[in-house]
């Protein structure tokens, strides 16, 4: 998205809020009943904490902000936990029970316990197994891998998810990436460009690896349609212009400078909520 008519202090404040102060759900407590896997309890509990938990009511197709649906567990008046401040997940996978239902080829391999095996007591809350439907179609696993088990091994536990912010712990961070950069301002000097031949114009257009320039039907240099988002490295364009100038003091054919009040944000979510809900 684009943030405009402001300065870097506001842009950086928004970025830091998206990273550290947007509340999400994450597994905060794990009660193990049986664990005969190769990983100890603490290791599995840590992996479970990093599984993104998505709040998505049945009537919605998007992951929503959970702030209005749950209370922080420290502010809830319940004794230990309740549906207002927590969500329970249960998992019980026994290799010897599941293996007879697998194909002969799969039966020879370890069984991967994934986030799909977590059963929630709240129909609106579930693990974010994949970021998108396309990722789900291309993936080899059924979800986020937790541990692999073999013959005679079983994993059974109850996990409690609570609402929090990543200022307290990174497992509550709703974004994997939140960055911004200055929007480029591309100015074409028509008078200077008119002094170039068609071959020189083509050379100038091809000099920039980001392809922010193009020739129109009249043979004039214009900014590409998506030049604002593509312009990241324009140093080659600068040196190509210097070589084409008849005199060093001549003005540039094309100038690319950073805007001081317009920023291009790039936000990638973890799956806990859709990206557009993080900056509301």
């Amino acid at each position: 998205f684009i943030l405009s008519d402001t300065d870097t202090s506001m842009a950086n404040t928004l970025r830091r809020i998206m990273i550290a102060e947007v509340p999400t759900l994450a597994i905060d407590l794990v009660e193990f009943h049986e664990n005969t896997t190769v990983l100890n309890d603490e290791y599995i509990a840590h992996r479970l904490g990093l599984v993104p938990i998505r709040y998505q009511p049945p009537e919605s197709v998007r992951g929503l902000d959970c702030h209005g649906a749950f209370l922080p567990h420290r502010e809830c008046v319940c004794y230990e936990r309740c549906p207002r401040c927590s969500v329970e997940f249960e998992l019980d996978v026994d290799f010897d029970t599941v293996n007879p239902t697998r194909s002969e080829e799969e039966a020879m391999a370890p069984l991967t316990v994934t986030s799909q095996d977590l059963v929630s007591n709240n129909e609106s809350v579930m693990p974010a197994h994949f970021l998108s439907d396309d990722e789900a179609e291309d993936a080899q696993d059924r979800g986020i891998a937790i541990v692999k088990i073999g013959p005679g091994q079983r994993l059974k536990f109850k996990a409690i998810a609570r609402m929090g912010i990543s200022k307290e712990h990174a497992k509550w961070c709703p974004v994997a990436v939140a960055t911004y950069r200055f929007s480029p301002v591309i100015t074409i000097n028509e008078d200077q460009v008119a002094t170039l031949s068609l071959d020189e114009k083509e050379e100038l257009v091809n000099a920039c690896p980001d392809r922010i320039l193009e020739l129109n039907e009249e043979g004039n240099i214009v900014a590409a349609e998506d030049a604002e988002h593509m312009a990241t490295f324009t140093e080659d364009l600068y040196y190509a212009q210097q070589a084409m100038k008849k005199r060093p003091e001549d003005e540039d054919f094309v100038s690319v400078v950073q805007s001081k009040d317009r920023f291009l944000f790039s936000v990638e979510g973890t799956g806990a909520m859709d990206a557009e809900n993080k900056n509301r």
Side-chain angles (χ1 to χ4, degrees), residues 182-211:
F182 296 98
S183 175
V185 179
I186 302 171
T187 305
I188 299 174
N189 189 325
E190 301 289 351
D191 294 335
Q192 280 291 89
V193 171
T195 64
L196 298 176
S197 66
L198 183 60
D199 290 341
E200 287 176 323
K201 291 178 181 179
E202 290 180 352
E203 182 181 350
L204 191 62
V205 168
N206 295 329
C208 183
D210 292 331
R211 295 293 185 268

PDB file of all heavy atoms in Angstrom, residues 182-211:
ATOM      1  N   PHE A 182      11.105   4.939   0.011  1.00  0.00           N
ATOM      2  CA  PHE A 182      10.650   6.215  -0.543  1.00  0.00           C
ATOM      3  C   PHE A 182      10.128   6.005  -1.964  1.00  0.00           C
ATOM      4  O   PHE A 182      10.722   5.289  -2.761  1.00  0.00           O
ATOM      5  CB  PHE A 182      11.786   7.225  -0.563  1.00  0.00           C
ATOM      6  CG  PHE A 182      12.302   7.594   0.794  1.00  0.00           C
ATOM      7  CD1 PHE A 182      13.435   6.989   1.313  1.00  0.00           C
ATOM      8  CD2 PHE A 182      11.652   8.545   1.552  1.00  0.00           C
ATOM      9  CE1 PHE A 182      13.912   7.323   2.567  1.00  0.00           C
ATOM     10  CE2 PHE A 182      12.113   8.893   2.806  1.00  0.00           C
ATOM     11  CZ  PHE A 182      13.249   8.273   3.320  1.00  0.00           C
ATOM     12  N   SER A 183       9.031   6.641  -2.249  1.00  0.00           N
ATOM     13  CA  SER A 183       8.483   6.577  -3.602  1.00  0.00           C
ATOM     14  C   SER A 183       9.366   7.398  -4.541  1.00  0.00           C
ATOM     15  O   SER A 183       9.736   8.524  -4.224  1.00  0.00           O
ATOM     16  CB  SER A 183       7.058   7.121  -3.612  1.00  0.00           C
ATOM     17  OG  SER A 183       6.554   7.173  -4.924  1.00  0.00           O
ATOM     18  N   PRO A 184       9.722   6.858  -5.710  1.00  0.00           N
ATOM     19  CA  PRO A 184      10.564   7.622  -6.645  1.00  0.00           C
ATOM     20  C   PRO A 184       9.746   8.644  -7.432  1.00  0.00           C
ATOM     21  O   PRO A 184       8.593   8.408  -7.782  1.00  0.00           O
ATOM     22  CB  PRO A 184      11.115   6.530  -7.565  1.00  0.00           C
ATOM     23  CG  PRO A 184      10.067   5.471  -7.555  1.00  0.00           C
ATOM     24  CD  PRO A 184       9.455   5.494  -6.183  1.00  0.00           C
ATOM     25  N   VAL A 185      10.366   9.778  -7.699  1.00  0.00           N
ATOM     26  CA  VAL A 185       9.762  10.809  -8.550  1.00  0.00           C
ATOM     27  C   VAL A 185      10.571  10.838  -9.847  1.00  0.00           C
ATOM     28  O   VAL A 185      11.747  11.224  -9.846  1.00  0.00           O
ATOM     29  CB  VAL A 185       9.782  12.186  -7.871  1.00  0.00           C
ATOM     30  CG1 VAL A 185       9.172  13.232  -8.796  1.00  0.00           C
ATOM     31  CG2 VAL A 185       9.024  12.134  -6.548  1.00  0.00           C
ATOM     32  N   ILE A 186       9.950  10.423 -10.939  1.00  0.00           N
ATOM     33  CA  ILE A 186      10.634  10.318 -12.229  1.00  0.00           C
ATOM     34  C   ILE A 186      10.255  11.529 -13.083  1.00  0.00           C
ATOM     35  O   ILE A 186       9.075  11.755 -13.371  1.00  0.00           O
ATOM     36  CB  ILE A 186      10.242   9.013 -12.945  1.00  0.00           C
ATOM     37  CG1 ILE A 186      10.573   7.809 -12.062  1.00  0.00           C
ATOM     38  CG2 ILE A 186      10.947   8.899 -14.296  1.00  0.00           C
ATOM     39  CD1 ILE A 186      10.029   6.497 -12.579  1.00  0.00           C
ATOM     40  N   THR A 187      11.266  12.307 -13.479  1.00  0.00           N
ATOM     41  CA  THR A 187      11.046  13.510 -14.290  1.00  0.00           C
ATOM     42  C   THR A 187      11.815  13.380 -15.600  1.00  0.00           C
ATOM     43  O   THR A 187      13.032  13.154 -15.587  1.00  0.00           O
ATOM     44  CB  THR A 187      11.501  14.770 -13.544  1.00  0.00           C
ATOM     45  OG1 THR A 187      10.846  14.833 -12.275  1.00  0.00           O
ATOM     46  CG2 THR A 187      11.166  16.015 -14.346  1.00  0.00           C
ATOM     47  N   ILE A 188      11.108  13.524 -16.710  1.00  0.00           N
ATOM     48  CA  ILE A 188      11.728  13.423 -18.032  1.00  0.00           C
ATOM     49  C   ILE A 188      11.862  14.825 -18.613  1.00  0.00           C
ATOM     50  O   ILE A 188      10.873  15.559 -18.741  1.00  0.00           O
ATOM     51  CB  ILE A 188      10.885  12.532 -18.964  1.00  0.00           C
ATOM     52  CG1 ILE A 188      10.790  11.119 -18.379  1.00  0.00           C
ATOM     53  CG2 ILE A 188      11.491  12.486 -20.365  1.00  0.00           C
ATOM     54  CD1 ILE A 188       9.855  10.196 -19.133  1.00  0.00           C
ATOM     55  N   ASN A 189      13.085  15.195 -18.929  1.00  0.00           N
ATOM     56  CA  ASN A 189      13.361  16.514 -19.516  1.00  0.00           C
ATOM     57  C   ASN A 189      13.108  16.424 -21.023  1.00  0.00           C
ATOM     58  O   ASN A 189      13.947  15.948 -21.787  1.00  0.00           O
ATOM     59  CB  ASN A 189      14.814  16.908 -19.224  1.00  0.00           C
ATOM     60  CG  ASN A 189      15.112  18.342 -19.594  1.00  0.00           C
ATOM     61  OD1 ASN A 189      14.578  18.871 -20.576  1.00  0.00           O
ATOM     62  ND2 ASN A 189      15.976  18.982 -18.814  1.00  0.00           N
ATOM     63  N   GLU A 190      11.962  16.894 -21.449  1.00  0.00           N
ATOM     64  CA  GLU A 190      11.554  16.759 -22.848  1.00  0.00           C
ATOM     65  C   GLU A 190      12.511  17.473 -23.801  1.00  0.00           C
ATOM     66  O   GLU A 190      12.829  16.963 -24.889  1.00  0.00           O
ATOM     67  CB  GLU A 190      10.132  17.306 -23.033  1.00  0.00           C
ATOM     68  CG  GLU A 190       9.068  16.626 -22.176  1.00  0.00           C
ATOM     69  CD  GLU A 190       8.774  15.202 -22.639  1.00  0.00           C
ATOM     70  OE1 GLU A 190       9.267  14.808 -23.713  1.00  0.00           O
ATOM     71  OE2 GLU A 190       8.069  14.482 -21.908  1.00  0.00           O
ATOM     72  N   ASP A 191      12.993  18.642 -23.415  1.00  0.00           N
ATOM     73  CA  ASP A 191      13.884  19.396 -24.295  1.00  0.00           C
ATOM     74  C   ASP A 191      15.205  18.662 -24.501  1.00  0.00           C
ATOM     75  O   ASP A 191      15.736  18.612 -25.627  1.00  0.00           O
ATOM     76  CB  ASP A 191      14.142  20.789 -23.710  1.00  0.00           C
ATOM     77  CG  ASP A 191      12.880  21.640 -23.678  1.00  0.00           C
ATOM     78  OD1 ASP A 191      11.974  21.376 -24.505  1.00  0.00           O
ATOM     79  OD2 ASP A 191      12.799  22.543 -22.829  1.00  0.00           O
ATOM     80  N   GLN A 192      15.734  18.095 -23.424  1.00  0.00           N
ATOM     81  CA  GLN A 192      16.993  17.366 -23.538  1.00  0.00           C
ATOM     82  C   GLN A 192      16.827  16.065 -24.324  1.00  0.00           C
ATOM     83  O   GLN A 192      17.662  15.699 -25.133  1.00  0.00           O
ATOM     84  CB  GLN A 192      17.543  17.060 -22.147  1.00  0.00           C
ATOM     85  CG  GLN A 192      18.270  18.209 -21.481  1.00  0.00           C
ATOM     86  CD  GLN A 192      19.593  18.519 -22.172  1.00  0.00           C
ATOM     87  OE1 GLN A 192      19.648  19.310 -23.116  1.00  0.00           O
ATOM     88  NE2 GLN A 192      20.646  17.876 -21.705  1.00  0.00           N
ATOM     89  N   VAL A 193      15.718  15.369 -24.067  1.00  0.00           N
ATOM     90  CA  VAL A 193      15.469  14.103 -24.759  1.00  0.00           C
ATOM     91  C   VAL A 193      15.304  14.330 -26.258  1.00  0.00           C
ATOM     92  O   VAL A 193      15.680  13.478 -27.082  1.00  0.00           O
ATOM     93  CB  VAL A 193      14.226  13.406 -24.168  1.00  0.00           C
ATOM     94  CG1 VAL A 193      13.809  12.198 -25.022  1.00  0.00           C
ATOM     95  CG2 VAL A 193      14.494  12.969 -22.737  1.00  0.00           C
ATOM     96  N   ALA A 194      14.786  15.480 -26.646  1.00  0.00           N
ATOM     97  CA  ALA A 194      14.566  15.773 -28.065  1.00  0.00           C
ATOM     98  C   ALA A 194      15.871  15.849 -28.843  1.00  0.00           C
ATOM     99  O   ALA A 194      15.879  15.726 -30.081  1.00  0.00           O
ATOM    100  CB  ALA A 194      13.787  17.074 -28.209  1.00  0.00           C
ATOM    101  N   THR A 195      16.978  16.042 -28.135  1.00  0.00           N
ATOM    102  CA  THR A 195      18.271  16.116 -28.830  1.00  0.00           C
ATOM    103  C   THR A 195      18.863  14.745 -29.120  1.00  0.00           C
ATOM    104  O   THR A 195      19.909  14.654 -29.782  1.00  0.00           O
ATOM    105  CB  THR A 195      19.275  16.917 -27.970  1.00  0.00           C
ATOM    106  OG1 THR A 195      19.524  16.197 -26.744  1.00  0.00           O
ATOM    107  CG2 THR A 195      18.726  18.292 -27.646  1.00  0.00           C
ATOM    108  N   LEU A 196      18.230  13.683 -28.622  1.00  0.00           N
ATOM    109  CA  LEU A 196      18.748  12.324 -28.809  1.00  0.00           C
ATOM    110  C   LEU A 196      18.179  11.697 -30.070  1.00  0.00           C
ATOM    111  O   LEU A 196      17.035  11.964 -30.463  1.00  0.00           O
ATOM    112  CB  LEU A 196      18.384  11.449 -27.599  1.00  0.00           C
ATOM    113  CG  LEU A 196      18.949  11.863 -26.237  1.00  0.00           C
ATOM    114  CD1 LEU A 196      18.398  10.937 -25.153  1.00  0.00           C
ATOM    115  CD2 LEU A 196      20.469  11.829 -26.241  1.00  0.00           C
ATOM    116  N   SER A 197      18.971  10.830 -30.681  1.00  0.00           N
ATOM    117  CA  SER A 197      18.474  10.039 -31.809  1.00  0.00           C
ATOM    118  C   SER A 197      17.650   8.878 -31.268  1.00  0.00           C
ATOM    119  O   SER A 197      17.655   8.591 -30.067  1.00  0.00           O
ATOM    120  CB  SER A 197      19.645   9.509 -32.633  1.00  0.00           C
ATOM    121  OG  SER A 197      20.410   8.586 -31.875  1.00  0.00           O
ATOM    122  N   LEU A 198      16.949   8.171 -32.147  1.00  0.00           N
ATOM    123  CA  LEU A 198      16.123   7.043 -31.720  1.00  0.00           C
ATOM    124  C   LEU A 198      16.975   5.945 -31.097  1.00  0.00           C
ATOM    125  O   LEU A 198      16.582   5.336 -30.093  1.00  0.00           O
ATOM    126  CB  LEU A 198      15.328   6.496 -32.910  1.00  0.00           C
ATOM    127  CG  LEU A 198      14.352   5.346 -32.587  1.00  0.00           C
ATOM    128  CD1 LEU A 198      13.321   5.809 -31.558  1.00  0.00           C
ATOM    129  CD2 LEU A 198      13.670   4.854 -33.864  1.00  0.00           C
ATOM    130  N   ASP A 199      18.157   5.711 -31.674  1.00  0.00           N
ATOM    131  CA  ASP A 199      19.046   4.682 -31.112  1.00  0.00           C
ATOM    132  C   ASP A 199      19.523   5.074 -29.717  1.00  0.00           C
ATOM    133  O   ASP A 199      19.628   4.215 -28.821  1.00  0.00           O
ATOM    134  CB  ASP A 199      20.256   4.478 -32.034  1.00  0.00           C
ATOM    135  CG  ASP A 199      19.883   3.798 -33.343  1.00  0.00           C
ATOM    136  OD1 ASP A 199      18.790   3.172 -33.379  1.00  0.00           O
ATOM    137  OD2 ASP A 199      20.651   3.887 -34.317  1.00  0.00           O
ATOM    138  N   GLU A 200      19.804   6.352 -29.519  1.00  0.00           N
ATOM    139  CA  GLU A 200      20.244   6.803 -28.201  1.00  0.00           C
ATOM    140  C   GLU A 200      19.107   6.703 -27.182  1.00  0.00           C
ATOM    141  O   GLU A 200      19.332   6.371 -26.007  1.00  0.00           O
ATOM    142  CB  GLU A 200      20.737   8.247 -28.290  1.00  0.00           C
ATOM    143  CG  GLU A 200      22.076   8.376 -28.999  1.00  0.00           C
ATOM    144  CD  GLU A 200      22.493   9.824 -29.168  1.00  0.00           C
ATOM    145  OE1 GLU A 200      21.602  10.677 -29.424  1.00  0.00           O
ATOM    146  OE2 GLU A 200      23.696  10.119 -29.061  1.00  0.00           O
ATOM    147  N   LYS A 201      17.893   6.974 -27.623  1.00  0.00           N
ATOM    148  CA  LYS A 201      16.742   6.825 -26.728  1.00  0.00           C
ATOM    149  C   LYS A 201      16.571   5.365 -26.301  1.00  0.00           C
ATOM    150  O   LYS A 201      16.304   5.073 -25.127  1.00  0.00           O
ATOM    151  CB  LYS A 201      15.474   7.325 -27.412  1.00  0.00           C
ATOM    152  CG  LYS A 201      15.432   8.833 -27.632  1.00  0.00           C
ATOM    153  CD  LYS A 201      14.165   9.245 -28.357  1.00  0.00           C
ATOM    154  CE  LYS A 201      14.123  10.745 -28.610  1.00  0.00           C
ATOM    155  NZ  LYS A 201      12.898  11.157 -29.347  1.00  0.00           N
ATOM    156  N   GLU A 202      16.718   4.459 -27.249  1.00  0.00           N
ATOM    157  CA  GLU A 202      16.612   3.036 -26.929  1.00  0.00           C
ATOM    158  C   GLU A 202      17.723   2.605 -25.964  1.00  0.00           C
ATOM    159  O   GLU A 202      17.494   1.821 -25.048  1.00  0.00           O
ATOM    160  CB  GLU A 202      16.672   2.202 -28.209  1.00  0.00           C
ATOM    161  CG  GLU A 202      15.436   2.340 -29.095  1.00  0.00           C
ATOM    162  CD  GLU A 202      15.538   1.498 -30.356  1.00  0.00           C
ATOM    163  OE1 GLU A 202      16.631   0.931 -30.599  1.00  0.00           O
ATOM    164  OE2 GLU A 202      14.530   1.397 -31.084  1.00  0.00           O
ATOM    165  N   GLU A 203      18.907   3.147 -26.180  1.00  0.00           N
ATOM    166  CA  GLU A 203      20.024   2.836 -25.286  1.00  0.00           C
ATOM    167  C   GLU A 203      19.742   3.335 -23.876  1.00  0.00           C
ATOM    168  O   GLU A 203      20.041   2.661 -22.888  1.00  0.00           O
ATOM    169  CB  GLU A 203      21.304   3.459 -25.825  1.00  0.00           C
ATOM    170  CG  GLU A 203      22.537   3.151 -24.992  1.00  0.00           C
ATOM    171  CD  GLU A 203      23.797   3.807 -25.529  1.00  0.00           C
ATOM    172  OE1 GLU A 203      23.744   4.351 -26.662  1.00  0.00           O
ATOM    173  OE2 GLU A 203      24.827   3.796 -24.813  1.00  0.00           O
ATOM    174  N   LEU A 204      19.158   4.517 -23.774  1.00  0.00           N
ATOM    175  CA  LEU A 204      18.837   5.092 -22.468  1.00  0.00           C
ATOM    176  C   LEU A 204      17.749   4.272 -21.777  1.00  0.00           C
ATOM    177  O   LEU A 204      17.819   4.019 -20.565  1.00  0.00           O
ATOM    178  CB  LEU A 204      18.381   6.540 -22.642  1.00  0.00           C
ATOM    179  CG  LEU A 204      18.262   7.384 -21.365  1.00  0.00           C
ATOM    180  CD1 LEU A 204      19.619   7.520 -20.690  1.00  0.00           C
ATOM    181  CD2 LEU A 204      17.696   8.762 -21.691  1.00  0.00           C
ATOM    182  N   VAL A 205      16.745   3.849 -22.536  1.00  0.00           N
ATOM    183  CA  VAL A 205      15.667   3.032 -21.973  1.00  0.00           C
ATOM    184  C   VAL A 205      16.217   1.704 -21.455  1.00  0.00           C
ATOM    185  O   VAL A 205      15.842   1.228 -20.377  1.00  0.00           O
ATOM    186  CB  VAL A 205      14.571   2.790 -23.033  1.00  0.00           C
ATOM    187  CG1 VAL A 205      13.609   1.702 -22.563  1.00  0.00           C
ATOM    188  CG2 VAL A 205      13.816   4.076 -23.313  1.00  0.00           C
ATOM    189  N   ASN A 206      17.131   1.095 -22.201  1.00  0.00           N
ATOM    190  CA  ASN A 206      17.678  -0.211 -21.822  1.00  0.00           C
ATOM    191  C   ASN A 206      18.760  -0.129 -20.764  1.00  0.00           C
ATOM    192  O   ASN A 206      19.160  -1.163 -20.208  1.00  0.00           O
ATOM    193  CB  ASN A 206      18.239  -0.915 -23.066  1.00  0.00           C
ATOM    194  CG  ASN A 206      17.159  -1.248 -24.077  1.00  0.00           C
ATOM    195  OD1 ASN A 206      16.016  -1.508 -23.718  1.00  0.00           O
ATOM    196  ND2 ASN A 206      17.511  -1.227 -25.357  1.00  0.00           N
ATOM    197  N   ALA A 207      19.243   1.096 -20.477  1.00  0.00           N
ATOM    198  CA  ALA A 207      20.329   1.244 -19.506  1.00  0.00           C
ATOM    199  C   ALA A 207      19.883   0.927 -18.086  1.00  0.00           C
ATOM    200  O   ALA A 207      20.680   0.478 -17.260  1.00  0.00           O
ATOM    201  CB  ALA A 207      20.893   2.658 -19.575  1.00  0.00           C
ATOM    202  N   CYS A 208      18.610   1.167 -17.794  1.00  0.00           N
ATOM    203  CA  CYS A 208      18.107   0.952 -16.429  1.00  0.00           C
ATOM    204  C   CYS A 208      17.637  -0.488 -16.275  1.00  0.00           C
ATOM    205  O   CYS A 208      16.710  -0.925 -16.967  1.00  0.00           O
ATOM    206  CB  CYS A 208      16.969   1.919 -16.129  1.00  0.00           C
ATOM    207  SG  CYS A 208      16.366   1.777 -14.432  1.00  0.00           S
ATOM    208  N   PRO A 209      18.230  -1.269 -15.363  1.00  0.00           N
ATOM    209  CA  PRO A 209      17.829  -2.671 -15.212  1.00  0.00           C
ATOM    210  C   PRO A 209      16.405  -2.848 -14.687  1.00  0.00           C
ATOM    211  O   PRO A 209      15.810  -3.909 -14.858  1.00  0.00           O
ATOM    212  CB  PRO A 209      18.858  -3.219 -14.214  1.00  0.00           C
ATOM    213  CG  PRO A 209      19.358  -2.024 -13.475  1.00  0.00           C
ATOM    214  CD  PRO A 209      19.324  -0.900 -14.455  1.00  0.00           C
ATOM    215  N   ASP A 210      15.861  -1.816 -14.067  1.00  0.00           N
ATOM    216  CA  ASP A 210      14.497  -1.914 -13.535  1.00  0.00           C
ATOM    217  C   ASP A 210      13.430  -1.664 -14.597  1.00  0.00           C
ATOM    218  O   ASP A 210      12.233  -1.836 -14.326  1.00  0.00           O
ATOM    219  CB  ASP A 210      14.299  -0.913 -12.391  1.00  0.00           C
ATOM    220  CG  ASP A 210      15.121  -1.270 -11.171  1.00  0.00           C
ATOM    221  OD1 ASP A 210      15.381  -2.470 -10.982  1.00  0.00           O
ATOM    222  OD2 ASP A 210      15.505  -0.358 -10.416  1.00  0.00           O
ATOM    223  N   ARG A 211      13.853  -1.243 -15.786  1.00  0.00           N
ATOM    224  CA  ARG A 211      12.929  -0.994 -16.901  1.00  0.00           C
ATOM    225  C   ARG A 211      11.823  -0.003 -16.515  1.00  0.00           C
ATOM    226  O   ARG A 211      10.629  -0.260 -16.699  1.00  0.00           O
ATOM    227  CB  ARG A 211      12.312  -2.306 -17.394  1.00  0.00           C
ATOM    228  CG  ARG A 211      13.304  -3.268 -18.013  1.00  0.00           C
ATOM    229  CD  ARG A 211      13.841  -2.695 -19.321  1.00  0.00           C
ATOM    230  NE  ARG A 211      14.701  -3.622 -20.028  1.00  0.00           N
ATOM    231  CZ  ARG A 211      16.021  -3.691 -19.911  1.00  0.00           C
ATOM    232  NH1 ARG A 211      16.636  -2.853 -19.086  1.00  0.00           N
ATOM    233  NH2 ARG A 211      16.724  -4.552 -20.593  1.00  0.00           N
TER     234      ARG A 211
END
